[in-house]
């Protein structure tokens, strides 16, 4: 009989092998995340039946309409995590301000950032969606966590990952020692190791970019978009519009996912995706799988976040395909790069 490795066993064995001195807090935090993933699976799989599809009527901090499921998932994650004593603060893509741990509960050594349901515009069409998370070590010293715990560059991350609610539920994470994927067995309610040690294939298969915005792209990006379509590239196009799923496919098949800056909205000159909740966690996973992620200028993981809801352009996948985007942008979008670099700070890991 094949060896069944549950996520609990895997995390525990990783801890024993690589961090024998660890207290177990991080391991327990990962268990919490797996439990939340099971609960959101339950929610999303019953979405139509429970009459919770459709918009909730509120508009979130990004000016986007919140879907009911976003609100449920957001609230669920906060409530599942606020009392465990493992976190000092949280940040959610759906909430304007950092989420503090209530005074009645103890705080812990980690900070959690999450996008509760990425790709939520797809919910009503029964397209896969996902949760993205990242964990940083606490850097503040007071009794409660502060925003400084949430504004750390990606290279300092302790762990990051995502869950996809699709034809099956998958949880993929990295704690800095490779990337591991687990599939939820609905019969026994356990995440089982199905994709050990994921490495991005060296021969890429797909590219993923929203060509619908070509008219709004800067020159370098437009040329890059064309370059991707050339027969020599031998790439096929896939774009779901749930980044976490587009990313997952890119990770398993090789290729590139890009959400560049464009000129559609002067209030969003650096694209749509959020550094803290979407780009940095997936960049961490990509690099752990042998890939690379860039804002078109340099590594995503080197950006010093200045605002918890900051947006950045995003190119992720096989290193050569991502570096090609940097090359086009460097050569053709000089003015834009100048403006971008005057507002966004890259730091070099110590
Ligand atoms: P969301 O967090 O509100 O779901 O928005 C992010 C999503 C990404 O998952 C996806 O890549 C992108 O928006 C798609 O946007 P577009 O329709 O502009 O291509
Ligand atoms: Mg999102």
């Amino acid at each position: 009989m094949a060896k069944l490795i549950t996520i609990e066993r895997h995390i525990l064995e990783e801890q024993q092998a690589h961090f024998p001195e660890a207290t177990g807090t991080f391991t327990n935090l990962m268990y919490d995340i797996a439990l939340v993933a099971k609960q959101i699976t339950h929610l999303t799989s019953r979405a139509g039946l429970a009459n919770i599809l459709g918009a909730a009527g509120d508009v979130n901090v990004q000016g986007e309409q919140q879907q009911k499921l976003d609100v449920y998932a957001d609230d669920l994650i906060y409530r599942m995590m606020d009392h465990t004593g493992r976190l000092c603060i949280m940040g959610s893509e759906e909430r304007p301000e950092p989420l503090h741990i209530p005074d009645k509960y103890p705080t812990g050594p980690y900070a959690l950032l999450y996008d509760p349901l990425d790709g939520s515009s797809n919910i009503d069409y029964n397209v896969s969606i996902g949760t993205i998370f990242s964990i940083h070590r606490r850097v503040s010293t007071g009794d409660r966590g502060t925003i400084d715990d949430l504004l750390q560059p990606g290279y300092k991350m302790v762990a990051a990952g995502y869950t996809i609610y699709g034809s099956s539920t998958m949880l993929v994470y990295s704690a800095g020692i490779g990337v591991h994927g687990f599939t939820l067995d609905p019969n026994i309610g356990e995440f089982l190791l199905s994709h050990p040690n994921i490495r991005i294939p060296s021969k890429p298969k797909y590219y993923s970019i929203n060509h619908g915005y070509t008219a709004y792209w800067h020159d370098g990006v437009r040329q890059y978009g064309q370059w991707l379509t050339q027969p020599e590239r031998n790439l096929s196009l896939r774009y779901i519009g749930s980044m976490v799923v587009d990313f997952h496919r890119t990770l398993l098949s090789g290729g590139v996912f890009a959400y560049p800056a464009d000129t559609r909205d002067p209030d969003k000159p650096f694209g749509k995706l959020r550094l803290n909740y979407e780009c940095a966690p997936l960049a961490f996973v990509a690099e752990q799988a042998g890939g690379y992620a860039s804002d078109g200028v340099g590594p995503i993981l080197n950006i010093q976040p200045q605002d918890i809801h900051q947006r950045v352009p995003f190119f992720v996948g096989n290193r050569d395909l991502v570096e090609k985007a940097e090359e086009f942008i460097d050569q053709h979008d000089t003015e834009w790069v100048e403006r971008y670099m005057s507002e966004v700070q890259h730091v070099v890991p110590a």
Side-chain angles (χ1 to χ4, degrees), residues 25 36 39 45-46 75 79-80 82 91 108 164 178 181 215 218 231 257 261 314 325 330 335:
T25 306
V36 165
Q39 285 188 295
S45 63
R46 294 180 63 252
D75 191 50
R79 282 186 298 106
M80 292 282 294
D82 70 350
I164 289 178
H218 299 284
F257 168 86
F314 193 43
D330 180 52
E335 231 170 80

Short mmCIF file of all heavy atoms in Angstrom, two decimals, residues 25 36 39 45-46 75 79-80 82 91 108 164 178 181 215 218 231 257 261 314 325 330 335:
data_model
loop_
_atom_site.label_atom_id
_atom_site.label_comp_id
_atom_site.label_asym_id
_atom_site.label_seq_id
_atom_site.Cartn_x
_atom_site.Cartn_y
_atom_site.Cartn_z
N THR A 25 5.13 26.27 17.14
CA THR A 25 4.13 27.31 16.87
C THR A 25 3.86 27.42 15.37
O THR A 25 2.71 27.47 14.93
CB THR A 25 4.62 28.68 17.41
OG1 THR A 25 4.95 28.52 18.76
CG2 THR A 25 3.55 29.75 17.24
N VAL A 36 -8.59 25.91 7.88
CA VAL A 36 -9.35 26.98 7.22
C VAL A 36 -9.65 26.57 5.77
O VAL A 36 -10.76 26.78 5.27
CB VAL A 36 -8.54 28.31 7.25
CG1 VAL A 36 -9.12 29.31 6.28
CG2 VAL A 36 -8.52 28.89 8.65
N GLN A 39 -12.51 24.38 5.57
CA GLN A 39 -13.80 25.07 5.79
C GLN A 39 -14.21 25.88 4.57
O GLN A 39 -15.39 25.91 4.21
CB GLN A 39 -13.69 25.96 7.01
CG GLN A 39 -13.72 25.11 8.26
CD GLN A 39 -13.82 25.96 9.49
OE1 GLN A 39 -12.89 26.71 9.77
NE2 GLN A 39 -14.90 25.87 10.21
N SER A 45 -17.98 24.82 -2.13
CA SER A 45 -18.65 23.72 -2.83
C SER A 45 -20.17 23.78 -2.66
O SER A 45 -20.91 23.21 -3.44
CB SER A 45 -18.11 22.36 -2.35
OG SER A 45 -18.42 22.21 -1.00
N ARG A 46 -20.61 24.51 -1.63
CA ARG A 46 -22.05 24.62 -1.41
C ARG A 46 -22.59 25.99 -1.84
O ARG A 46 -23.75 26.30 -1.58
CB ARG A 46 -22.36 24.42 0.07
CG ARG A 46 -22.06 23.01 0.56
CD ARG A 46 -22.37 22.86 2.05
NE ARG A 46 -23.78 23.06 2.34
CZ ARG A 46 -24.28 24.12 2.97
NH1 ARG A 46 -23.50 25.11 3.33
NH2 ARG A 46 -25.57 24.21 3.21
N ASP A 75 -13.94 36.78 6.82
CA ASP A 75 -14.33 36.76 8.21
C ASP A 75 -13.94 35.43 8.88
O ASP A 75 -13.45 35.40 10.01
CB ASP A 75 -15.86 36.97 8.27
CG ASP A 75 -16.32 37.23 9.67
OD1 ASP A 75 -15.72 38.10 10.31
OD2 ASP A 75 -17.26 36.53 10.13
N ARG A 79 -11.52 34.98 12.12
CA ARG A 79 -12.04 34.38 13.35
C ARG A 79 -11.34 33.08 13.73
O ARG A 79 -11.22 32.75 14.90
CB ARG A 79 -13.56 34.19 13.26
CG ARG A 79 -14.30 35.52 13.49
CD ARG A 79 -15.78 35.39 13.56
NE ARG A 79 -16.34 34.89 12.30
CZ ARG A 79 -16.80 33.67 12.12
NH1 ARG A 79 -16.80 32.79 13.10
NH2 ARG A 79 -17.28 33.31 10.94
N MET A 80 -10.87 32.34 12.71
CA MET A 80 -10.16 31.09 13.00
C MET A 80 -8.74 31.34 13.54
O MET A 80 -8.12 30.47 14.12
CB MET A 80 -10.02 30.27 11.71
CG MET A 80 -11.32 29.74 11.16
SD MET A 80 -11.86 28.29 12.07
CE MET A 80 -10.58 27.11 11.65
N ASP A 82 -7.69 34.48 15.15
CA ASP A 82 -7.49 35.62 16.06
C ASP A 82 -7.18 35.22 17.50
O ASP A 82 -6.66 36.00 18.27
CB ASP A 82 -8.70 36.58 16.01
CG ASP A 82 -9.97 35.98 16.64
OD1 ASP A 82 -9.97 34.75 16.94
OD2 ASP A 82 -10.94 36.72 16.82
N GLY A 91 -3.28 40.87 8.01
CA GLY A 91 -3.68 41.83 6.99
C GLY A 91 -4.46 41.07 5.94
O GLY A 91 -4.04 39.98 5.52
N GLY A 108 1.26 36.20 19.31
CA GLY A 108 2.35 35.25 19.06
C GLY A 108 3.41 35.82 18.14
O GLY A 108 3.38 37.00 17.80
N ILE A 164 -6.40 26.04 -3.71
CA ILE A 164 -7.27 26.20 -4.88
C ILE A 164 -8.52 25.36 -4.66
O ILE A 164 -8.42 24.18 -4.28
CB ILE A 164 -6.55 25.75 -6.16
CG1 ILE A 164 -5.47 26.77 -6.51
CG2 ILE A 164 -7.52 25.60 -7.32
CD1 ILE A 164 -4.67 26.43 -7.72
N GLY A 178 11.71 23.98 -0.54
CA GLY A 178 10.94 23.39 -1.64
C GLY A 178 9.46 23.72 -1.56
O GLY A 178 9.00 24.39 -0.62
N GLY A 181 2.73 20.09 -2.66
CA GLY A 181 1.30 20.21 -2.94
C GLY A 181 0.52 19.05 -2.34
O GLY A 181 0.94 17.89 -2.40
N ALA A 215 -4.08 47.47 -25.93
CA ALA A 215 -4.11 48.88 -26.31
C ALA A 215 -3.63 49.78 -25.17
O ALA A 215 -3.24 50.92 -25.41
CB ALA A 215 -5.53 49.27 -26.73
N HIS A 218 2.18 49.67 -22.06
CA HIS A 218 3.32 50.49 -22.50
C HIS A 218 4.05 49.70 -23.59
O HIS A 218 3.88 48.48 -23.72
CB HIS A 218 4.24 50.77 -21.31
CG HIS A 218 3.55 51.53 -20.22
ND1 HIS A 218 3.28 52.88 -20.31
CD2 HIS A 218 3.03 51.13 -19.02
CE1 HIS A 218 2.63 53.28 -19.22
NE2 HIS A 218 2.47 52.22 -18.42
N PRO A 231 5.95 31.98 -33.16
CA PRO A 231 5.99 30.52 -33.27
C PRO A 231 7.22 29.89 -32.60
O PRO A 231 7.13 28.81 -32.03
CB PRO A 231 6.03 30.27 -34.79
CG PRO A 231 5.71 31.57 -35.44
CD PRO A 231 5.79 32.67 -34.45
N PHE A 257 3.12 33.83 -16.25
CA PHE A 257 1.88 34.57 -16.00
C PHE A 257 2.29 36.02 -15.84
O PHE A 257 3.25 36.33 -15.12
CB PHE A 257 1.20 34.08 -14.72
CG PHE A 257 0.08 35.02 -14.29
CD1 PHE A 257 -1.19 34.88 -14.82
CD2 PHE A 257 0.32 36.07 -13.41
CE1 PHE A 257 -2.22 35.77 -14.48
CE2 PHE A 257 -0.69 36.96 -13.06
CZ PHE A 257 -1.96 36.81 -13.59
N ALA A 261 1.67 46.61 -15.79
CA ALA A 261 1.08 47.94 -15.60
C ALA A 261 0.43 48.34 -16.93
O ALA A 261 0.84 47.87 -17.99
CB ALA A 261 2.18 48.94 -15.27
N PHE A 314 3.32 42.37 -12.35
CA PHE A 314 3.73 41.03 -11.93
C PHE A 314 4.03 40.14 -13.13
O PHE A 314 3.20 39.99 -14.03
CB PHE A 314 2.58 40.43 -11.10
CG PHE A 314 2.94 39.18 -10.34
CD1 PHE A 314 4.15 39.07 -9.66
CD2 PHE A 314 2.05 38.11 -10.26
CE1 PHE A 314 4.47 37.93 -8.93
CE2 PHE A 314 2.36 36.95 -9.54
CZ PHE A 314 3.57 36.88 -8.87
N ALA A 325 10.83 39.81 -20.16
CA ALA A 325 9.93 40.95 -19.91
C ALA A 325 10.74 42.12 -19.35
O ALA A 325 10.57 43.27 -19.78
CB ALA A 325 8.83 40.55 -18.93
N ASP A 330 12.99 47.43 -19.87
CA ASP A 330 14.19 48.24 -19.71
C ASP A 330 14.51 49.00 -21.01
O ASP A 330 14.89 50.17 -20.99
CB ASP A 330 15.35 47.31 -19.32
CG ASP A 330 16.65 48.07 -19.13
OD1 ASP A 330 16.62 49.05 -18.37
OD2 ASP A 330 17.67 47.70 -19.75
N GLU A 335 10.67 55.89 -19.50
CA GLU A 335 9.99 56.93 -18.73
C GLU A 335 9.14 56.33 -17.60
O GLU A 335 9.14 56.80 -16.47
CB GLU A 335 9.05 57.69 -19.67
CG GLU A 335 9.22 59.18 -19.60
CD GLU A 335 8.45 59.83 -20.72
OE1 GLU A 335 7.22 59.97 -20.55
OE2 GLU A 335 9.05 60.13 -21.78
#
